[in-house]
Amino acid sequence: MPITQPGLTANYVAGEWQSGDACEKLPVTDPATGETLGAVPDSGRADVDRAVAAAVAAFPAWRRTPVAERARVLFRLKALLDQHHDELAISLSREHGKNVAETWGEVQRGIENVEHAAGMPTLMMGDALEDVARDVDCATWRQPIGVFAVITPYNFPVMIPLWFWPYAVAAGNTVVLKPSEQDPLTHQRVVELAEQAGLPAGVLNVVHGRQATVAALIDHPDVAGVSFVGSSQVAKIIYERAALAGKRVQALGGAKNHMIVLPDADPEMVADAVVGSVFGSAGQRCLAGSVVVGVGDAYGPMREGILDGAASLKVGRGLDDGVDMGPVISRAHRDRVNGFIDEGERDGARLLMDGRRLHVPGYPEGHWVGPTVFEDVTPAMPIGREEVFGPVAGLARAPNLEAALEMLAASRYGNAASIFTNSGRAAREFRYRAGISMIGINIGVAAPMAFFPFGGTRNSFYGDLKAQGRDAVSFFTDQRVVISRW
Ligand code: NAD
């Protein structure tokens, strides 16, 4: 039953919206106005137990539902998401803060995963081979596994859950989702639409909460596998804890993405791509550019282009017309980003543009950080090494591509990296040697589409099978191999 009135956010268990046992409610606020939009229960073990029990109970019948019927639910969900696209984008802008063009794009990326997962009848086919020995045949069958836990971050609260649960359920599994407690309202609407599309009770369940909720979910003996996206520190904890319990786990973590600009790159294209990457979503993207390395003579024009582009950005409430960059998610996060800027200054990086103490007229309670640009950033400084997750560019210089690649190699993160050049040879060398999972060549945000794998390396990813694409099908199924002689 839909519960779309504002403020009422509940767990979704066995097809029912339940307020749960939690006494504590976690507020959800509009980051531009500070207005309270709702609250979610900080669910405990009993709530998690109920959600997992519902998923366990729903599994046998859902698994036996023909795969084409399971896929048809996703086709209907895709149509409903298209129909409600604008409404979802506006709701998402209100609770997250980014502008409506950005949230519209996020919803679109989510829909593309629903579309891709709807191809499950062909995606989960097995292989077969006759005469592997005399009169012996061999075949693989992909089967669903059971109950999966999906735990997601605040920065893409509609899209990231859709990296996982549509694939899991299309393959015949059931799911318990724990969305970010900071902006869970719009995905709640997606869950209502899934119900409307005919997803049976118990196939997808939602429990809200924080650390203790996640721990109860991961430790639950009936949870077979865990998909996680969030900061590296938490991703590592999740990976270790789930692996120790013998579960399959994919844990996507944080990032410190480098962008390398060669002297033969088109300066205008570089400025557009870098400014969009660093300041889009107020820097709160795991694919956001963070350190921008100008090689040789590229540095001067690159620096000017980025400063001009950053100065032209209008900061404000994402729902207002003409706004390029919204607030960051919370007061605590604004203070954290400002802390990195303070530290960068103390460490001797040159602050060329300072976004601290920004006031946006009409929004005194907003969590504002304006575009910020440093130069002379080095890997020895936290501003050049740690994930800031805010609208801060760190410019650096390198004498040649070799030196720029060394900077990349020194980072403990390995999510995304981009090169800007007109040289096919330099681009090939970069792709070959960068050692980073998502690579942009003349692209500022190297975001793989739904049919390609999404995830990093080093401390940006713990596991082996990534999100989206064929990896998602492998993660949510097990291959049974049958060898037969008649
Ligand atoms: P976060 O790690 O604080 O939280 C992620 C999820 O884990 C939330 O649901 C949260 O409630 C839960 N959680 C928080 N602390 C926990 C703990 N100690 N134990 C168990 N669960 C815990 O991340 P966030 O601030 O919501 O999101 C931003 C981070 O996510 C950034 O580091 C960003 O780079 C990363 N991210 C990565 C990708 C990727 O593809 N690699 C994509 C999006 C975001």
Side-chain angles (χ1 to χ4, degrees):
M1 193 206 298
I3 55 143
T4 38
Q5 64 265 50
L8 195 54
T9 307
N11 293 337
Y12 181 65
V13 176
E16 298 283 330
W17 295 96
Q18 307 178 349
S19 57
D21 290 346
C23 314
E24 198 182 341
K25 297 271 191 269
L26 309 167
V28 180
T29 53
D30 178 332
T33 62
E35 179 198 350
T36 301
L37 300 172
V40 290
D42 193 8
S43 306
R45 187 169 296 278
D47 298 310
V48 168
D49 286 351
R50 272 194 290 274
V52 174
V56 168
F59 178 60
W62 183 242
R63 185 202 160 171
R64 284 190 179 277
T65 303
V67 62
E69 273 182 45
R70 298 196 303 252
R72 252 172 243 139
V73 174
L74 295 185
F75 281 119
R76 288 193 294 269
L77 174 61
K78 184 254 182 307
L80 286 167
L81 290 169
D82 282 341
Q83 206 179 313
H84 292 271
H85 201 145
D86 292 346
E87 167 204 330
L88 292 166
I90 288 166
S91 160
L92 183 53
S93 177
R94 183 170 291 121
E95 67 174 326
H96 179 282
K98 56 191 159 188
N99 70 38
V100 178
E102 291 172 325
T103 57
W104 206 91
E106 170 174 351
V107 174
Q108 179 60 27
R109 285 295 169 107
I111 291 173
E112 285 159 8
N113 275 280
V114 175
E115 284 168 359
H116 186 229
M120 199 53 75
T122 43
L123 290 173
M124 76 185 285
M125 278 179 185
D127 296 316
L129 185 64
E130 281 182 338
D131 294 327
V132 291
R134 193 162 303 279
D135 286 339
V136 174
D137 304 330
C138 188
T140 59
W141 305 77
R142 284 195 177 273
Q143 294 187 351
I145 296 165
V147 179
F148 279 86
V150 175
I151 299 139
T152 53
Y154 82 81
N155 66 326
F156 282 96
V158 167
M159 177 186 77
I160 291 181
L162 295 175
W163 281 355
F164 303 109
W165 75 252
Y167 297 95
V169 304
N173 303 283
T174 56
V175 168
V176 179
L177 167 68
K178 206 302 282 173
S180 170
E181 65 282 15
Q182 298 194 82
D183 48 12
L185 305 179
T186 313
H187 202 84
Q188 170 168 299
R189 186 75 186 111
V190 174
V191 174
E192 290 173 1
L193 295 176
E195 184 182 274
Q196 204 178 317
L199 197 67
V203 173
L204 172 64
N205 306 274
V206 182
V207 278
H208 295 285
R210 293 181 290 185
Q211 182 174 351
T213 321
V214 173
L217 199 47
I218 292 175
D219 292 348
H220 198 295
D222 291 335
V223 168
V226 179
S227 299
F228 173 89
V229 183
S231 54
S232 288
Q233 189 196 353
V234 181
K236 187 161 188 277
I237 294 171
I238 303 290
Y239 181 71
E240 289 174 349
R241 194 159 178 155
L244 205 60
K247 302 180 183 199
R248 55 174 68 190
V249 48
Q250 47 182 188
L252 287 73
K256 184 78 180 172
N257 303 314
H258 289 62
M259 309 178 92
I260 296 178
V261 182
L262 297 192
D264 61 2
D266 170 2
E268 228 168 90
M269 188 252 276
V270 168
D272 273 2
V274 171
V275 168
S277 178
V278 174
F279 302 113
S281 292
Q284 299 165 105
R285 287 198 289 225
C286 70
L287 297 176
S290 183
V291 177
V292 196
V293 187
V295 173
D297 292 344
Y299 186 79
M302 175 195 101
R303 178 184 188 272
E304 293 324 301
I306 293 170
L307 284 171
D308 287 351
S312 74
L313 295 175
K314 181 175 172 199
V315 183
R317 191 182 192 200
L319 287 171
D320 292 345
D321 283 344
V323 165
D324 299 301
M325 198 176 99
V328 297
I329 189 72
S330 62
R331 183 159 304 165
H333 190 52
R334 180 200 62 195
D335 294 346
R336 185 176 173 277
V337 173
N338 284 343
F340 271 113
I341 303 174
D342 296 344
E343 206 174 2
E345 251 193 325
R346 280 200 302 274
D347 289 342
R350 260 175 26 104
L351 193 52
L352 303 176
M353 188 179 290
D354 185 358
R356 293 170 295 185
R357 292 177 286 278
L358 176 77
H359 296 286
V360 174
Y363 298 109
E365 299 300 322
H367 315 310
W368 309 111
V369 184
T372 298
V373 181
F374 276 107
E375 74 175 346
D376 297 335
V377 160
T378 70
M381 304 170 179
I383 195 75
R385 189 179 66 218
E386 304 296 336
E387 181 177 48
V388 176
F389 222 53
V392 182
L395 311 188
R397 301 166 215 253
N400 48 41
L401 178 59
E402 200 60 35
L405 282 167
E406 275 169 27
M407 285 187 188
L408 228 77
S411 174
R412 67 190 167 92
Y413 292 105
N415 216 41
S418 293
I419 189 166
F420 295 90
T421 179
N422 257 335
S423 156
R425 187 175 173 79
R428 197 240 178 213
E429 190 66 7
F430 180 73
R431 186 198 74 213
Y432 195 83
R433 289 179 47 200
I436 303 285
S437 300
M438 293 178 275
I439 291 186
I441 296 176
N442 298 319
I443 296 280
V445 180
M449 297 287 284
F451 15 91
F452 285 98
F454 197 117
T457 184
R458 304 183 200 160
N459 291 179
S460 296
F461 181 70
Y462 298 91
D464 52 2
L465 294 168
K466 296 183 173 172
Q468 305 189 146
R470 282 191 217 121
D471 274 22
V473 180
S474 296
F475 187 75
F476 292 117
T477 55
D478 194 32
Q479 296 196 74
R480 318 295 188 196
V481 186
V482 180
I483 304 146
S484 51
R485 175 191 284 130
W486 290 100

